[in-house]
Amino acid sequence: MNNSSSIVPPSASLKPKTGTTTASDPSSLKRKRMFQKDLQHMMYGFGDDPNPLTQTVELVEDIAFDYIQDLVLKAQVIATKRGKLLTDDILHLIRKDIPKRRRCQELLSMNEELKQARKAFEVDEEKLASTAD
C-alpha cells in the first residue's frame, strides 16, 4: 500500500493570517523584497548554506515582516491614548523577552551615541568653515 498519495505537505495545512499576502491570492499586492541579501548573510551566519533557496529567504522575510507589523500595530493600540507612537511602546510590548529588550535598548543607545557624534562633527565642520573665511 502506497501512502505517498495521501500525504499532505505541511504548507498545505497552514492557513494564512488575515491581511497577509499569499501567492494564491490574486488580489494581493506583492510587497517589495528589501532584506533578502541581508537575510541571506544572516542565515549563513547562523549555519545555513551560503546561497540559501530563494523561497526560504522569502519565507524568513515574510515571517519577520509579519512579526514587526504585528508588533507595531499592537504598539499603536497602546499609543492611541497619547496620539503618538514612541519607542517606549515597543519596549513595553517586549518587556518580558529580556534578550530582545536588552538588544533593543543597546541599539537605541548606540543610535543616540551616533546622533551625538554626528552633531559634534557638524559643529566642528562649521567652525573650520568659519575660520577658513
Side-chain angles (χ1 to χ4, degrees):
M1 184 168 160
N2 189 353
N3 289 338
S4 63
S5 62
S6 66
I7 296 175
V8 178
S11 61
S13 64
L14 296 176
K15 293 181 181 178
K17 285 185 176 180
T18 307
T20 58
T21 61
T22 60
S24 63
D25 186 11
S27 64
S28 65
L29 298 174
K30 272 215 158 207
R31 187 172 54 75
K32 185 178 178 185
R33 302 279 179 188
M34 298 177 9
F35 304 108
Q36 286 196 346
K37 206 55 154 166
D38 296 322
L39 285 172
Q40 285 177 346
H41 294 301
M42 288 174 65
M43 290 168 68
Y44 178 63
F46 283 106
D48 201 350
D49 190 65
N51 296 311
L53 293 173
T54 306
Q55 296 91 345
T56 306
V57 177
E58 288 177 358
L59 178 65
V60 171
E61 185 175 16
D62 287 342
I63 291 169
F65 183 83
D66 288 345
Y67 173 76
I68 293 169
Q69 185 178 28
D70 186 48
L71 190 68
V72 170
L73 289 174
K74 287 178 183 176
Q76 281 181 324
V77 169
I78 293 171
T80 53
K81 295 175 184 174
R82 219 181 13 262
K84 186 177 182 181
L85 182 64
L86 300 173
T87 54
D88 290 338
D89 298 323
I90 305 240
L91 290 173
H92 174 74
L93 288 173
I94 60 171
R95 69 190 178 276
K96 293 182 181 177
D97 190 345
I98 295 170
K100 202 178 293 180
R101 189 188 70 215
R102 285 184 182 153
R103 179 66 175 149
C104 284
Q105 289 172 332
E106 178 185 345
L107 290 171
L108 287 169
S109 66
M110 185 65 70
N111 187 38
E112 193 62 36
E113 288 177 27
L114 288 171
K115 281 182 186 178
Q116 291 174 358
R118 282 188 204 111
K119 187 176 179 181
F121 183 72
E122 288 173 4
V123 170
D124 290 344
E125 223 174 53
E126 290 173 5
K127 287 180 182 177
L128 287 174
S130 65
T131 58
D133 292 335

